[in-house]
Amino acid sequence: MILTTSDDRPASMRQFVPPVVEPSQRATRLLGERLELVEDLWETVLRSECPPSHAERLLRLKQLSDPSESGTAVADTADAIVQLIREMDLAEAIAAARAFSLYFQLVNILEQHIEEDSYLDSLKTLPEAASSDPFLPPLASQTEPATFRQLFERLRNLNVPPAQIENLLRNLDLRLVFTAHPTEIVRHTVRHKQRRVATLIQTLEQGSGLNRVERQSLRLQLEEEIRLWWRTDELHQFKPTVLDEVDYALHYFQQVLFEAMPLLRQRIRSALLDTYPDVEAPRDSFCTFGSWVGADRDGNPSVTPEITWRTACFQRQLMLERYIKAVGELRDQLSISMQWSQVSPALLESLEMDRLRFPEIYEERAARYRLEPYRLKLSYVLERLRLTHGRNQLLADGGWESPCDGLATLPASIGNLSGSPVQELHYGAVDEFRTDLELVLQSLESTGLSCESLQHLISQVQIFAFCLASLDIRQESTRHSDALDELSRYLQLPVPYGEMDEEQRVAWLLGELQTRRPLLPPAASWTPTTAETFAVLRMVQRLQQEFGTRICSTYVISMSHTVSDLLEVLLLAKEAGLVDPVAQRSSLLVVPLFETVEDLQRAPEVMAQLFSQPFYRHLLASGETGQPLQEVMLGYSDSNKDSGFLSSNWEIHKAQIALQQLATEHDVALRIFHGRGGSVSRGGGPAYQAILAQPNGTLSGRIKITEQGEVLASKYSLPELALYNLETLTTAVLQNSLVSTPVDNTPSWNELMGRLAARSRDFYRTLVHDNPDLVAFFQQCTPIEEISKLQISSRPARRKSGAKDLSSLRAIPWVFGWTQSRFLLPSWFGVGAALRDELDQDPEQLELLRLLYQRWPFFRMLISKVEMTLSKVDIDLAHHYVQALGRPERREAFEQIFATIAAEFDLTRDLVLAITGHQRLLDSDPALQLSVDLRNRTIVPLGFLQVALLRRLRDQNRQPPMSEAATGSGDGRTYSRSELLRGALLTINGIAAGMRNTG
């Protein structure tokens, strides 16, 4: 049964009031109050670190960015800023870029704390009147993130049966996959300094009991930390390796998530006790993590089988070290004596087994712990963990191709157990470790005791196991077809694989999949790319053999187009021992990634052909309900780059509905994997509203989402902030899964969206793909070429080295360039044209569009994202990029492109305001509006500064180095290209901090 929230209210209440977000008055007030502290600290640091004349000029720049304070007419502000920048030499320009970058990063810290504080306040009280207010919007239309307690209160007041909630909680499955791209632009070193500053600011803000001396001391510490930060280089000193990126991603687990995750279940359990006391909380591992860092090899030649193997070993090392520390602390804590407490027979029996397996430990520890059974048991557990850690180190050092037999014994230095068979002593699987811990807990509970730290550890083991995060392999589809083509030519097949049509390929692949005969000759030699394609799957088999299937059981195929794309990977997996053709079982879940609009439209047809194959259905892993489980990934980035924001989102929406209907018809459980980016154009934006906007019936408590590298700091840098994001993500999934939104099936609304998407796509493609000057416009009028020189990613910015066309450029730098130049074009372009064409046909459609915004979560999410993005656009500053950076011979063509963009911006803004009923963009969210206004005006000097540095740099690239005096804008010094590039890169850092995302 699915809960609906309509039709049971009086007719006078059925008309839904436009969704108005409750103004966060407290957040708005706090930002205003705390901003004073940040600006005072910023000014103090500038005056202490910069020459007086430089500091005064920087403060004047900041003042000019706020017309209310500058005393300068808005029309004259840009001229005044440009004049100030012209007076700067390069050293001062670099100082300005660093100063504004510092300012934005301090504001980011401030906003994270405000968000965290607001969440903590929401946990303390829930006014009874608010939970039962009949005038609240229907649950399906709620847009403000809800805590567990708020959601369960609403559900109880709507008389949702406990059995329905318990069934959903039992099958709850949330998976968050960390990725390395869009790449994190802030250095790891700077992140550490930000964390120290954040801690001091929080202490100062919450220190109502501090005396004057203590407050002054904190203030001085803050100034000292920020000055140290100022003297630290923000730019990466070298191009990070893949393992550097692994270390960065795992940083959030080590610092925050490892300790925070067990609290998530505690909070859901506590909320249930208040509302549904008889409903059992979900299992500890209802929310788990995955990672692409070290495993995603699509377009990244640095991700080799050896790197993925070392990543897995590194992750297990971190977990084992955590567990060793936790068990050591437990051993100190559980000093219970048998003289004063009973012990369960099961624990005593296990101690006898351990005595036989670890005679040395028994001899060493028995005298000390003779009457302290828990300490003795945990000593054995510690030894097994240390042996597992030692074995893991040998695996990391030996590499994935080292023989298992070589690890049969460990040296005497590891555990003092030379010659002992390691397979019998180390933990071969995490279940063995968890069983030992549960044995201790059960013995304690049988005697009326509890141990929170032990329960906490068991939760961590359930969530993270030994692997910390599951590794998803990702590779581009043609790599597999190319490898099979090379193999078929080696085998001298009558028709080489590359020359087969799709029907022939499917028939040949299915035939080979179902035979026991091996296909790969063991002694053959292959080209390097083919050899690596084969090796990856052998490495995965070895990973599963050593670490268990949880470490790596998913293989994502990017640019999936056809049935053969999936069957190719399964055949290669069979050759590696991951598919058993006799038992018809696979330990690898093959996941198609449908990215382009054409592929999204074709996805249901592809999956229907696969589901109709009995052999393929048997290979699907079973989910919690015993049904075959199919995971399908939908890509936001490339579909947006291909067809624009509106078309991309509509095609993804339709694909989900069609895929769910198909899965239901074939009795297959479907898990949609959303490849969301950090920016709106790549699927980003508030996760809560995005999940509520998912089509009715497509979640059923299951979702998988990418968490991009650039958003990790904003979501997971603080414990309560991490819990807030995880809690609201969970409540959104529960809410969407329980609440029916039948408007998804309204034929006239779907027809309208189809027309809007088609018109938007045509308008977008006319400019982006059909205009011959657009690529040159993008390259010259945005800092895309300089972005590619940032040492922030192990992955190339382009798919094909040397290629300068649009198709070769990845979606991430595509968005990055438009964001830096303040166009943000991929997030809104084409929306206004589509809406205008619809209203030209029938002006009365505006009322229907307003109704859709009020009642259809999907459409409301679309318009809200466009509104938020438009609020960040600065079309005048963008025009400055065009005028200053476009080459003279392209001036006329570029001005025409800009005129098209500017007209579309004005049109889109006006129509969005007409649909939402707002006077200004973001009127429904004053806190966000204040934050965006602050950033928009303060970022202006950085934009002008970036343009000035880019112009100087590009002039240097076109001719020999010249003095600043030659350009009439400097001190007569001659600057090298590397100096100018450094300045430009620092402005990129600063603008990224101000915009809060890159790509």
Side-chain angles (χ1 to χ4, degrees):
M1 171 182 142
I2 298 292
L3 171 71
T4 62
T5 59
S6 56
D7 299 329
D8 56 348
R9 293 172 291 153
S12 60
M13 292 176 58
R14 284 184 196 157
Q15 178 61 45
F16 175 62
V17 179
V20 176
V21 179
E22 289 290 331
S24 179
Q25 299 294 345
R26 182 176 183 276
T28 306
R29 176 177 55 80
L30 285 177
L31 181 58
E33 291 174 357
R34 297 179 181 180
L35 192 59
E36 186 177 341
L37 168 66
V38 161
E39 294 193 334
D40 189 36
L41 283 166
W42 184 70
E43 180 176 342
T44 301
V45 170
L46 290 188
R47 291 191 183 280
S48 62
E49 292 294 317
C50 301
S53 61
H54 289 190
E56 290 301 328
R57 219 173 344 242
L58 291 177
L59 293 172
R60 177 60 179 160
L61 266 182
K62 169 69 172 56
Q63 188 181 40
L64 283 170
S65 69
D66 188 349
S68 64
E69 295 183 11
S70 66
T72 304
V74 175
D76 299 328
T77 298
D79 291 339
I81 290 174
V82 170
Q83 183 56 43
L84 271 178
I85 290 172
R86 282 177 179 163
E87 295 171 6
M88 295 179 179
D89 61 16
L90 183 59
E92 190 177 355
I94 286 176
R98 299 184 69 230
F100 281 93
S101 176
L102 172 65
Y103 176 82
F104 286 123
Q105 292 180 67
L106 288 171
V107 172
N108 291 345
I109 290 171
L110 205 62
E111 292 186 332
Q112 287 172 2
H113 278 305
I114 291 171
E115 191 173 5
E116 189 178 51
D117 290 346
S118 299
Y119 170 58
L120 289 172
D121 282 348
S122 72
L123 297 176
K124 294 174 185 175
T125 55
L126 177 72
E128 187 63 31
S131 65
S132 56
D133 185 353
F135 295 100
L136 281 173
L139 198 60
S141 303
Q142 183 174 324
T143 56
E144 272 289 86
T147 62
F148 290 131
R149 189 177 174 193
Q150 290 167 337
L151 177 64
F152 292 140
E153 284 278 359
R154 296 283 310 273
L155 294 174
R156 186 181 66 179
N157 291 328
L158 290 167
N159 297 316
V160 180
Q164 186 179 353
I165 292 177
E166 183 163 309
N167 183 60
L168 178 60
L169 292 176
R170 187 183 303 118
N171 297 312
L172 195 59
D173 180 14
L174 279 64
R175 306 195 178 195
L176 303 176
V177 182
F178 284 17
T179 79
H181 59 280
T183 44
E184 172 54 62
I185 200 164
V186 180
R187 282 183 68 199
H188 213 350
T189 301
V190 174
R191 281 281 177 224
H192 283 300
K193 297 191 181 302
Q194 289 176 347
R195 186 168 291 103
R196 284 195 288 272
V197 169
T199 301
L200 288 168
I201 287 178
Q202 187 174 37
T203 306
L204 192 60
E205 288 169 349
Q206 297 175 350
S208 55
L210 297 173
N211 60 40
R212 186 180 63 81
V213 174
E214 290 169 332
R215 294 187 68 84
Q216 182 64 24
S217 175
L218 279 172
R219 172 61 187 251
L220 289 173
Q221 288 180 58
L222 258 173
E223 289 179 17
E224 180 182 287
E225 284 293 342
I226 296 173
R227 290 181 68 186
L228 290 171
W229 178 357
W230 174 263
R231 298 192 189 192
T232 301
D233 198 346
E234 301 96 325
L235 297 179
H236 291 265
Q237 304 301 301
F238 54 87
K239 193 174 183 66
T241 67
V242 178
L243 291 178
D244 290 329
E245 293 175 339
V246 170
D247 180 57
Y248 178 83
L250 298 185
H251 167 81
Y252 295 98
F253 291 99
Q254 292 175 282
Q255 296 296 322
V256 175
L257 290 169
F258 190 74
E259 294 299 329
M261 283 304 296
L263 300 177
L264 187 64
R265 186 173 183 270
Q266 288 181 19
R267 292 189 179 177
I268 197 171
R269 188 193 299 120
S270 174
L272 285 170
L273 285 174
D274 292 338
T275 50
Y276 288 92
D278 297 327
V279 170
E280 185 178 345
R283 64 194 189 284
D284 286 290
S285 57
F286 76 85
C287 179
T288 56
F289 296 89
S291 177
W292 279 11
V293 193
D296 176 15
R297 55 228 328 114
D298 177 18
N300 191 345
S302 301
V303 183
T304 63
E306 189 62 34
I307 287 293
T308 305
W309 176 264
R310 290 177 63 189
T311 299
C313 292
F314 183 30
Q315 291 185 179
R316 183 156 69 167
Q317 173 191 329
L318 291 182
M319 294 314 305
L320 288 169
E321 289 170 354
R322 280 280 187 171
Y323 294 149
I324 288 170
K325 181 175 182 287
V327 171
E329 291 171 352
L330 272 175
R331 187 176 65 178
D332 293 339
Q333 182 181 358
L334 296 179
S335 56
I336 300 163
S337 172
M338 290 182 68
Q339 290 194 358
W340 310 113
S341 180
Q342 297 293 317
V343 178
S344 71
L347 181 61
L348 292 174
E349 183 180 341
S350 77
L351 285 171
E352 182 59 26
M353 294 292 295
D354 288 335
R355 183 182 69 83
L356 298 174
R357 299 169 72 193
F358 294 95
E360 292 88 348
I361 297 295
Y362 179 77
E363 291 295 330
E364 179 187 342
R365 301 285 180 175
R368 178 183 297 182
Y369 299 144
R370 185 169 56 87
L371 295 177
E372 296 176 341
Y374 295 104
R375 283 184 160 178
L376 184 58
K377 177 62 182 177
L378 291 171
S379 293
Y380 292 129
V381 171
L382 266 177
E383 188 60 30
R384 295 192 72 182
L385 285 172
R386 289 180 182 131
L387 288 170
T388 311
H389 186 274
R391 178 183 174 85
N392 186 69
Q393 188 60 54
L394 291 177
L395 288 166
D397 294 340
W400 73 273
E401 294 183 282
S402 60
C404 293
D405 294 344
L407 298 169
T409 59
L410 287 173
S413 60
I414 301 179
N416 295 317
L417 292 168
S418 180
S420 300
V422 176
Q423 282 83 350
E424 297 176 9
L425 299 178
H426 75 285
Y427 282 121
V430 73
D431 289 345
E432 300 171 18
F433 176 44
R434 188 178 68 247
T435 298
D436 277 346
L437 296 177
E438 289 174 344
L439 194 62
V440 173
L441 181 63
Q442 289 161 7
S443 179
L444 287 170
E445 291 177 340
S446 69
T447 61
L449 291 173
S450 63
C451 180
E452 184 178 356
S453 55
L454 176 56
Q455 292 170 331
H456 196 77
L457 177 57
I458 290 173
S459 292
Q460 290 169 329
V461 174
Q462 292 272 26
I463 296 163
F464 299 107
F466 281 157
C467 61
L468 192 149
S470 302
L471 293 173
D472 284 357
I473 304 293
R474 184 171 76 132
Q475 184 57 278
E476 200 265 333
S477 58
T478 58
R479 284 292 294 268
H480 315 117
S481 55
D482 289 347
L484 286 174
D485 183 52
E486 185 175 338
L487 171 63
S488 69
R489 294 178 190 279
Y490 177 88
L491 297 175
Q492 297 182 335
L493 295 187
V495 180
Y497 187 77
E499 297 177 13
M500 295 180 187
D501 59 27
E502 175 64 9
E503 186 177 347
Q504 289 175 308
R505 288 186 175 193
V506 169
W508 182 75
L509 291 165
L510 283 170
E512 290 295 335
L513 267 168
Q514 296 175 70
T515 179
R516 297 187 186 188
R517 171 180 50 76
L519 190 63
L520 283 177
S525 60
W526 311 103
T527 59
T529 54
T530 295
E532 184 178 44
T533 302
F534 294 155
V536 167
L537 288 152
R538 294 201 310 275
M539 180 273 300
V540 171
Q541 192 276 335
R542 179 74 198 283
L543 269 179
Q544 292 188 358
Q545 179 185 6
E546 176 61 38
F547 293 71
T549 56
R550 182 167 170 178
I551 183 62
C552 186
S553 60
T554 301
Y555 195 113
V556 179
I557 310 167
S558 59
M559 288 298 169
S560 289
H561 309 296
T562 60
V563 170
S564 62
D565 288 332
L566 278 76
L567 297 181
E568 288 166 359
V569 175
L570 284 171
L571 179 57
L572 296 176
K574 176 204 148 192
E575 294 301 308
L578 294 163
V579 173
D580 184 341
V582 178
Q584 297 187 15
R585 291 288 181 269
S586 172
S587 60
L588 190 69
L589 189 62
V590 178
V591 178
L593 167 50
F594 298 109
E595 299 181 78
T596 67
V597 165
E598 288 76 11
D599 290 332
L600 288 166
Q601 293 170 341
R602 195 164 42 234
E605 177 189 344
V606 170
M607 299 314 299
Q609 292 180 51
L610 286 163
F611 290 161
S612 66
Q613 294 289 341
F615 181 78
Y616 179 83
R617 279 176 50 83
H618 281 121
L619 293 183
L620 293 178
S622 294
E624 296 291 331
T625 60
Q627 282 180 294
L629 175 66
Q630 174 69 61
E631 187 173 297
V632 174
M633 186 172 183
L634 305 177
Y636 291 72
S637 303
D638 283 281
S639 58
N640 184 296
K641 178 168 166 274
D642 173 60
S643 297
F645 175 78
L646 190 60
S647 174
S648 167
N649 278 270
W650 178 238
E651 294 300 338
I652 289 171
H653 186 82
K654 288 196 304 177
Q656 287 185 80
I657 294 173
L659 288 167
Q660 184 57 58
Q661 291 173 344
L662 180 70
T664 301
E665 291 168 7
H666 288 85
D667 193 29
V668 171
L670 179 68
R671 180 166 61 223
I672 298 292
F673 184 2
H674 296 268
R676 301 175 79 232
S679 61
V680 164
S681 55
R682 301 184 58 248
Y688 186 86
Q689 287 84 354
I691 291 172
L692 292 188
Q694 298 307 305
N696 181 42
T698 58
L699 290 191
S700 302
R702 286 185 299 269
I703 197 167
K704 189 172 177 180
I705 305 173
T706 51
E707 289 283 46
Q708 299 288 353
E710 69 171 348
V711 304
L712 297 183
S714 63
K715 287 187 174 184
Y716 301 111
S717 57
L718 302 171
E720 293 298 338
L721 193 62
L723 283 168
Y724 166 75
N725 281 286
L726 293 167
E727 181 166 350
T728 54
L729 174 75
T730 308
T731 55
V733 171
L734 292 172
Q735 189 171 320
N736 180 285
S737 301
L738 283 169
V739 179
S740 171
T741 52
V743 290
D744 282 323
N745 300 319
T746 306
S748 61
W749 294 8
N750 288 336
E751 290 168 8
L752 170 61
M753 274 307 306
R755 294 195 300 271
L756 291 175
R759 290 167 180 164
S760 174
R761 183 187 190 201
D762 289 344
F763 190 77
Y764 174 90
R765 290 188 64 86
T766 297
L767 175 72
V768 172
H769 294 275
D770 299 341
N771 189 312
D773 296 305
L774 192 279
V775 172
F777 180 93
F778 180 64
Q779 289 174 339
Q780 292 179 37
C781 303
T782 78
I784 180 60
E785 294 306 316
E786 290 74 21
I787 286 169
S788 67
K789 295 179 174 65
L790 278 168
Q791 304 285 2
I792 58 174
S793 175
S794 67
R795 184 179 178 183
R798 296 184 181 273
R799 286 189 170 89
K800 303 169 186 175
S801 60
K804 295 291 185 181
D805 60 325
L806 188 60
S807 63
S808 71
L809 187 71
R810 293 189 176 280
I812 298 159
W814 167 251
V815 178
F816 200 164
W818 289 115
T819 302
Q820 287 277 312
S821 54
R822 303 301 300 281
F823 283 100
L824 285 84
L825 179 139
S827 302
W828 57 268
F829 190 81
V831 174
L835 293 171
R836 179 203 56 205
D837 287 355
E838 185 68 26
L839 294 176
D840 284 348
Q841 296 291 324
D842 183 1
E844 293 184 3
Q845 286 288 80
L846 179 59
E847 290 306 314
L848 176 58
L849 291 169
R850 287 171 174 166
L851 180 66
L852 264 60
Y853 177 71
Q854 294 166 8
R855 300 192 59 184
W856 192 4
F858 168 74
F859 189 76
R860 184 168 59 249
M861 179 269 296
L862 279 183
I863 296 299
S864 297
K865 283 187 174 184
V866 171
E867 181 182 23
M868 189 267 286
T869 305
L870 290 172
S871 72
K872 295 183 176 183
V873 174
D874 188 330
I875 206 70
D876 293 329
L877 185 54
H879 195 203
H880 181 65
Y881 277 78
V882 177
Q883 292 177 317
L885 298 178
R887 295 180 189 170
E889 64 271 19
R890 299 266 193 172
R891 188 178 303 277
E892 184 178 350
F894 285 6
E895 284 295 336
Q896 289 177 357
I897 290 175
F898 175 79
T900 300
I901 295 172
E904 175 67 359
F905 170 77
D906 290 339
L907 178 65
T908 306
R909 180 199 57 215
D910 293 347
L911 290 176
V912 164
L913 290 174
I915 291 170
T916 61
H918 299 157
Q919 294 299 310
R920 288 184 62 216
L921 297 171
L922 300 180
D923 267 352
S924 61
D925 192 342
L928 179 59
Q929 189 182 62
L930 175 62
S931 174
V932 170
D933 284 349
L934 167 68
R935 293 167 185 280
N936 281 351
R937 63 176 184 260
T938 313
I939 214 169
V940 168
L942 266 179
F944 283 110
L945 190 59
Q946 182 176 90
V947 169
L949 288 165
L950 290 176
R951 189 171 182 177
R952 296 180 195 180
L953 174 64
R954 292 174 183 181
D955 284 343
Q956 292 279 46
N957 288 338
R958 287 193 289 268
Q959 58 193 3
M962 58 184 178
S963 71
E964 293 295 293
T967 65
S969 58
D971 57 1
R973 277 190 57 195
T974 300
Y975 296 111
S976 70
R977 290 169 187 163
S978 62
E979 289 176 300
L980 290 166
L981 176 61
R982 177 175 179 74
L985 297 183
L986 284 166
T987 64
I988 292 172
N989 266 37
I991 292 173
M995 301 299 289
R996 294 198 77 173
N997 59 46
T998 55

